Amino acid sequence: MAATAVTDEVAAVVEEYNRRRDIHAVLVQLPLPPQVDATRVLDLLDPAKDVDGFHPDNVGRLVQKRARFVPCTPAGIMELLARHEIPVAGRRAVVIGRSDIVGKPMALLLMHADATVTVCHSRTGDLPGVCREADILVAAMGRAGFVRAGHVKPGAVVIDVGMNRIADPHQARDMLVPERLAEFEKRGHALVGDVHAPSVRDVASALTPVPGGVGPLTIAMLLKNTVRAAAAAVTD
Amino acid sequence: MAATAVTDEVAAVVEEYNRRRDIHAVLVQLPLPPQVDATRVLDLLDPAKDVDGFHPDNVGRLVQKRARFVPCTPAGIMELLARHEIPVAGRRAVVIGRSDIVGKPMALLLMHADATVTVCHSRTGDLPGVCREADILVAAMGRAGFVRAGHVKPGAVVIDVGMNRIADPHQARDMLVPERLAEFEKRGHALVGDVHAPSVRDVASALTPVPGGVGPLTIAMLLKNTVRAAAAAVTD
């Protein structure tokens, strides 16, 4: 089947979900296979059901501080900071990574919460130096154990958004605590973050674990958005 | 007339302009009077005619690096940097101000051009210190002569987006060159930027003048967007 035809089929499904009144929330699980035009599919989704907050209309509203749905991972991180009573206003935050899904909305939310925000990426000159300016450091670039002690100002709060599958025993021995290393040796793989926890743990004042840190919050925020979508549909 | 009724009337005009095929571009001149709901009016405007790029759909597309119309002031600044062959990639840029019209889109465009971008604002702790990190400093907070030599790293490029009307003779004497001061004394007012040019001029490697710097580029970019809107309508 030609690529356009496949996308047409997926588009038809999305359009049916848009119409159905018993469906309040739709999540397009990315990545889509290459024969489907993901942008076309996402643009078709009714913004009022787009609980991921990826539709341009929802992205624009987030920028304008009138979000319908806040993207789940950054929303979860803001919740985590609030629950742990970590002050954000007036502090310096550095976000490593500029993806549409995490980096950009994260920077916006921190800025809206009155932090002074810097976004770093692969083209940043002195990455460790810029990271050391951060009171709150968010690592979201998808490189296992990349952030080390030298990236962290003593006492900083470090949020690890990474979810990297490693299979290299050397890397596993370097990054995993004994209990998780034993598990790695049984399974042959493990999930680790973008932060090298063994070295960062002693420098940071707080560090989110991987797994079990940002991940569950992302799911909680997705459910929150889903409930909100359903409530809005009922009151419509 | 009740506020809603006034907004309804303005909305009807916008909807007519949306429908008319002989109108390709619409600009809502802000600020609107308080009895008109500006957000409702802007949201009604056809994104394909929104040459300011303020509709949430256009803002979202800008974030996603597939802008239909880039907001005119930040677009003009990128053009200015390009024409003067000022490198952006890998350099540190600091934007003072986080407005939807200048600060936020400016930060995005610089980030998309591979700068490491920091956004400062009224809640930033050590504002002069953060500004001194900048290779490219964009002042867009609307305070006459606020940015002084102490905010500028020697050799930095300083872009002055401010357009402030001053009427205080003391401030005029402090900020204006003799020729413009004579004019001030005749008229009783003058336009000055957010940068205190007399002190910054000797520290920066380049500084845009006010007036005659960013302003004319904003208008040029508005015309560019208008031509683009018309061309897109013709090929539709």
Side-chain angles (χ1 to χ4, degrees):
Chain A
M1 196 157 26
T4 318
V6 178
T7 302
D8 284 349
E9 244 182 67
V10 177
V13 173
V14 169
E15 281 172 334
E16 196 210 321
Y17 290 172
N18 283 348
R19 273 192 305 271
R20 276 176 62 174
R21 300 209 50 184
D22 61 330
I23 290 180
H24 302 119
V26 179
L27 177 152
V28 179
Q29 183 65 55
L30 301 174
L32 291 177
Q35 64 271 30
V36 182
D37 179 348
T39 304
R40 214 191 110 199
V41 171
L42 289 171
D43 283 358
L44 269 178
L45 186 58
D46 180 352
K49 297 188 178 183
D50 166 40
V51 283
D52 259 339
F54 293 166
H55 190 284
D57 190 69
N58 283 326
V59 174
R61 280 165 180 269
L62 177 71
V63 172
Q64 295 172 343
K65 267 185 125 166
R66 48 177 180 136
R68 203 185 265 121
F69 302 115
V70 180
C72 304
T73 299
I77 292 168
M78 294 309 288
E79 187 74 24
L80 186 148
L81 292 169
R83 296 281 180 115
H84 288 264
E85 295 178 353
I86 291 163
V88 174
R91 304 183 82 199
R92 293 201 69 171
V94 173
V95 177
I96 320 174
R98 52 179 161 173
S99 71
D100 287 353
I101 294 171
V102 181
K104 289 178 196 174
M106 183 79 258
L108 269 168
L109 293 180
L110 288 165
M111 186 175 79
H112 289 166
D114 292 329
T116 300
V117 182
T118 304
V119 178
C120 293
H121 44 76
S122 54
R123 299 292 306 272
T124 294
D126 172 22
L127 188 70
V130 178
C131 290
R132 278 197 306 273
E133 294 165 1
D135 301 306
I136 298 166
L137 180 62
V138 180
M141 71 294 211
R143 288 178 63 179
F146 181 86
V147 172
R148 296 189 161 252
H151 293 77
V152 179
K153 177 164 82 175
V157 170
V158 181
I159 312 287
D160 191 351
V161 185
M163 269 291 194
N164 311 287
R165 186 188 160 112
I166 59 166
D168 172 15
H170 178 79
Q171 197 173 20
R173 277 193 297 275
D174 178 44
M175 286 194 67
L176 300 175
V177 292
E179 191 186 311
R180 292 199 61 217
L181 188 58
E183 217 179 309
F184 171 87
E185 272 155 11
K186 222 162 48 194
R187 294 194 190 169
H189 59 85
L191 277 182
V192 298
D194 289 348
V195 177
H196 187 261
S199 71
V200 168
R201 199 176 283 133
D202 299 328
V203 185
S205 65
L207 167 63
T208 63
V210 175
V214 170
L217 277 161
T218 297
I219 297 165
M221 292 303 120
L222 180 63
L223 290 173
K224 186 176 168 181
N225 281 349
T226 303
V227 170
R228 181 171 296 175
V234 167
T235 56
D236 252 3
Chain B
M1 195 156 28
T4 317
V6 179
T7 302
D8 285 348
E9 243 181 70
V10 177
V13 173
V14 169
E15 281 171 336
E16 197 211 319
Y17 290 172
N18 282 348
R19 271 191 306 271
R20 276 174 62 173
R21 300 207 53 185
D22 60 330
I23 290 179
H24 302 121
V26 179
L27 177 152
V28 180
Q29 183 64 56
L30 301 175
L32 290 177
Q35 63 271 31
V36 181
D37 179 348
T39 304
R40 215 191 109 200
V41 171
L42 288 171
D43 283 359
L44 269 179
L45 185 57
D46 180 353
K49 298 188 178 183
D50 166 40
V51 282
D52 258 339
F54 293 166
H55 190 284
D57 191 69
N58 283 327
V59 173
R61 280 165 181 269
L62 177 71
V63 172
Q64 294 172 345
K65 266 185 125 165
R66 48 177 180 134
R68 204 185 265 121
F69 302 114
V70 180
C72 304
T73 300
I77 292 168
M78 294 309 288
E79 187 73 22
L80 185 147
L81 293 170
R83 296 281 180 115
H84 287 265
E85 294 178 352
I86 291 163
V88 174
R91 304 185 82 198
R92 294 201 70 171
V94 173
V95 178
I96 320 175
R98 51 179 161 173
S99 70
D100 286 354
I101 294 172
V102 180
K104 290 178 195 174
M106 184 78 258
L108 270 167
L109 292 180
L110 288 165
M111 186 174 80
H112 288 165
D114 291 330
T116 300
V117 183
T118 304
V119 179
C120 292
H121 44 76
S122 54
R123 298 293 307 273
T124 294
D126 172 22
L127 187 71
V130 177
C131 289
R132 278 196 305 274
E133 294 165 2
D135 300 307
I136 298 166
L137 180 63
V138 181
M141 71 295 211
R143 289 176 63 180
F146 181 86
V147 172
R148 295 190 161 251
H151 293 77
V152 180
K153 177 164 83 174
V157 170
V158 180
I159 312 286
D160 191 351
V161 185
M163 268 291 196
N164 312 287
R165 186 187 158 112
I166 59 166
D168 172 14
H170 179 79
Q171 198 172 19
R173 278 193 296 274
D174 178 43
M175 285 193 69
L176 300 175
V177 292
E179 189 187 313
R180 292 199 60 221
L181 187 58
E183 216 179 311
F184 171 88
E185 273 154 12
K186 220 161 49 191
R187 294 195 190 166
H189 59 84
L191 277 182
V192 298
D194 289 348
V195 176
H196 186 262
S199 70
V200 168
R201 198 176 283 133
D202 299 328
V203 185
S205 65
L207 166 64
T208 63
V210 175
V214 170
L217 278 160
T218 298
I219 297 165
M221 292 302 120
L222 181 63
L223 289 174
K224 186 175 167 181
N225 282 348
T226 303
V227 170
R228 182 173 294 174
V234 168
T235 57
D236 251 7

